[in-house]
Amino acid sequence: MDFSAALPTFVITLREGVEAALVVGIVLACLKKAKAGHLNPWVYAGVAVGLVASALVGVLFSWVIQSLSATYPQYAPVIEPLLEAVFGVIAIAMLSWMLIWMTQQAKYLKGEVEGAVTAAIKQGDGAGWGVFTLILIAVLREGFETVLFIVAKFQQGLVPALGAISGIAVAAGIGVLLFKWGVKINIRLFFQVMGVLLLLIVAGLVVSSLSLFDESVNTLAQMDRKSAELCFYYERFAKDHSCILGPLVWNTSSILPDDQFPGVVFKALIGYRDKIYVVQAVAYLLFMFTIGSLYFNSLGVPVGASIQREKSASRK
């Protein structure tokens, strides 16, 4: 079994799981400080319901995909890659937003959570539901983003789900280390490293989503002559051709194929592809320039300054 597909979901659930674990830990610490330990079961209930609800969202998406394929079996070869590409685009948008927003809000996280817990405790009889809702939203937000990413890779079977479960388990372990055993971990550095990995993974998802759009359009063009015009890039232009992605600009399949080790690992972690077409290349570079710039700026490190620093270090 190829476990490389589990690496991206592991990274995503690990990062977002630690984020959710921080919220849970801060809430538990606030309740302990306020001598409201009787509300702890509401925290654990929020975590459990959030995880179950996230899983149900994934099941619902899978059911929709299977239902559409069963209803229109003749178009199943078009529907599956098309829906996978659509979910990929949604995952790209949500993960990119989460990456930048969470980095900007990280410094205010503790104060905001503590304020929300204090407000919930003051509700009296409704304190339990207030704490439950706070935890549920935190877990469900992270879980929904992960589910979207997994659904975008549904053709790879259960392997991405195994990566997600492993990431959740490790994140829970880190939460225990932080809040139960008092182990010191450089959370800032952890999120920065995970953020860079996530940036590369989502950039790879940009490339793969475009490839899936190309596959679905190409399949539709072959099935229906009326749709043949959708393929504006024809085989006669080049040996390695695409339908809507333009000419081939990158081909390392003979040196480092992306379906064999170590290329398959690079494909999972940094978005490597052994064949890239011009539209994919432009989209990849555009994504890295825009989202990458926003991310590094949110860290307080302008991209130009970081590049200049790397150059100075290399000279030394």
Side-chain angles (χ1 to χ4, degrees), residues 196-276:
V196 172
L197 280 176
L198 183 58
L199 181 67
L200 292 170
I201 288 171
V202 178
L205 188 58
V206 171
V207 174
S208 61
S209 296
L210 286 171
S211 178
L212 289 164
F213 277 121
D214 181 74
E215 178 186 343
S216 60
V217 173
N218 187 40
T219 303
L220 181 62
Q222 293 178 0
M223 293 173 57
D224 184 3
R225 292 183 179 180
K226 295 180 181 179
S227 304
E229 295 180 356
L230 293 174
C231 285
F232 59 81
Y233 191 76
Y234 297 98
E235 184 175 1
R236 65 174 180 269
F237 291 151
K239 180 180 178 181
D240 293 302
H241 67 95
S242 67
C243 181
I244 59 175
L245 300 179
L248 188 71
V249 295
W250 172 284
N251 189 351
T252 55
S253 56
S254 59
I255 304 173
L256 189 63
D258 61 15
D259 58 351
Q260 299 178 17
F261 183 85
V264 68
V265 177
F266 295 151
K267 179 180 179 180
L269 280 179
I270 63 174
Y272 167 77
R273 297 294 188 278
D274 57 14
K275 289 183 179 180
I276 296 181

Side-chain angles (χ1 to χ4, degrees), residues 11 15 19 95-106 187-200 202 286-304 306:
V11 170
R15 186 194 185 283
E19 183 182 323
L95 289 170
S96 299
W97 172 83
M98 178 275 299
L99 178 65
I100 297 169
W101 180 86
M102 185 56 202
T103 303
Q104 293 175 336
Q105 298 298 318
I187 291 295
R188 180 184 177 87
L189 179 61
F190 172 84
F191 277 117
Q192 287 180 354
V193 172
M194 290 294 104
V196 172
L197 280 176
L198 183 58
L199 181 67
L200 292 170
V202 178
L286 186 62
F287 176 86
M288 292 298 290
F289 178 76
T290 55
I291 303 301
S293 297
L294 290 171
Y295 173 65
F296 284 109
N297 285 332
S298 69
L299 293 176
V301 182
V303 176
S306 63

Side-chain angles (χ1 to χ4, degrees), residues 19-314:
E19 183 182 323
L22 288 176
V23 174
V24 172
I26 292 170
V27 170
L28 290 174
C30 288
L31 294 177
K32 182 178 180 180
K33 185 178 179 180
K35 296 181 180 180
H38 62 283
L39 296 177
N40 286 356
W42 289 94
V43 175
Y44 303 131
V47 173
V49 174
L51 291 174
V52 172
S54 298
L56 289 177
V57 170
V59 171
L60 176 62
F61 282 154
S62 299
W63 177 80
V64 169
I65 293 169
Q66 293 175 0
S67 297
L68 287 174
S69 298
T71 305
Y72 306 100
Q74 69 275 24
Y75 290 108
V78 177
I79 292 173
E80 290 186 2
L82 180 60
L83 287 177
E84 188 176 352
V86 170
F87 285 127
V89 171
I90 298 173
I92 290 166
M94 292 198 66
L95 289 170
S96 299
W97 172 83
M98 178 275 299
L99 178 65
I100 297 169
W101 180 86
M102 185 56 202
T103 303
Q104 293 175 336
Q105 298 298 318
K107 62 181 72 175
Y108 310 112
L109 177 64
K110 185 176 180 181
E112 290 179 354
V113 173
E114 288 178 344
V117 174
T118 301
I121 293 176
K122 290 181 179 179
Q123 293 177 4
D125 294 338
W129 285 110
V131 172
F132 172 83
T133 303
L134 174 64
I135 296 298
L136 175 62
I137 292 174
V139 174
L140 189 58
R141 183 185 65 199
E142 313 304 336
F144 183 69
E145 291 165 351
T146 305
V147 165
L148 275 177
F149 186 84
I150 295 174
V151 173
K153 293 180 172 292
F154 72 94
Q155 287 183 332
Q156 298 179 15
L158 294 175
V159 176
L162 293 176
I165 294 171
S166 301
I168 292 172
V170 175
I174 292 176
V176 171
L177 289 175
L178 287 172
F179 296 101
K180 191 72 175 178
W181 294 345
V183 176
K184 299 294 184 181
I185 298 176
N186 191 331
I187 291 295
R188 180 184 177 87
L189 179 61
F190 172 84
F191 277 117
Q192 287 180 354
V193 172
M194 290 294 104
V196 172
L197 280 176
L198 183 58
L199 181 67
L200 292 170
I201 288 171
V202 178
L205 188 58
V206 171
V207 174
S208 61
S209 296
L210 286 171
S211 178
L212 289 164
F213 277 121
D214 181 74
E215 178 186 343
S216 60
V217 173
N218 187 40
T219 303
L220 181 62
Q222 293 178 0
M223 293 173 57
D224 184 3
R225 292 183 179 180
K226 295 180 181 179
S227 304
E229 295 180 356
L230 293 174
C231 285
F232 59 81
Y233 191 76
Y234 297 98
E235 184 175 1
R236 65 174 180 269
F237 291 151
K239 180 180 178 181
D240 293 302
H241 67 95
S242 67
C243 181
I244 59 175
L245 300 179
L248 188 71
V249 295
W250 172 284
N251 189 351
T252 55
S253 56
S254 59
I255 304 173
L256 189 63
D258 61 15
D259 58 351
Q260 299 178 17
F261 183 85
V264 68
V265 177
F266 295 151
K267 179 180 179 180
L269 280 179
I270 63 174
Y272 167 77
R273 297 294 188 278
D274 57 14
K275 289 183 179 180
I276 296 181
Y277 297 90
V278 64
V279 174
Q280 291 173 309
V282 171
Y284 184 92
L285 294 175
L286 186 62
F287 176 86
M288 292 298 290
F289 178 76
T290 55
I291 303 301
S293 297
L294 290 171
Y295 173 65
F296 284 109
N297 285 332
S298 69
L299 293 176
V301 182
V303 176
S306 63
I307 294 174
Q308 188 64 36
R309 225 177 288 167
E310 291 177 2
K311 288 182 178 179
S312 299
S314 63

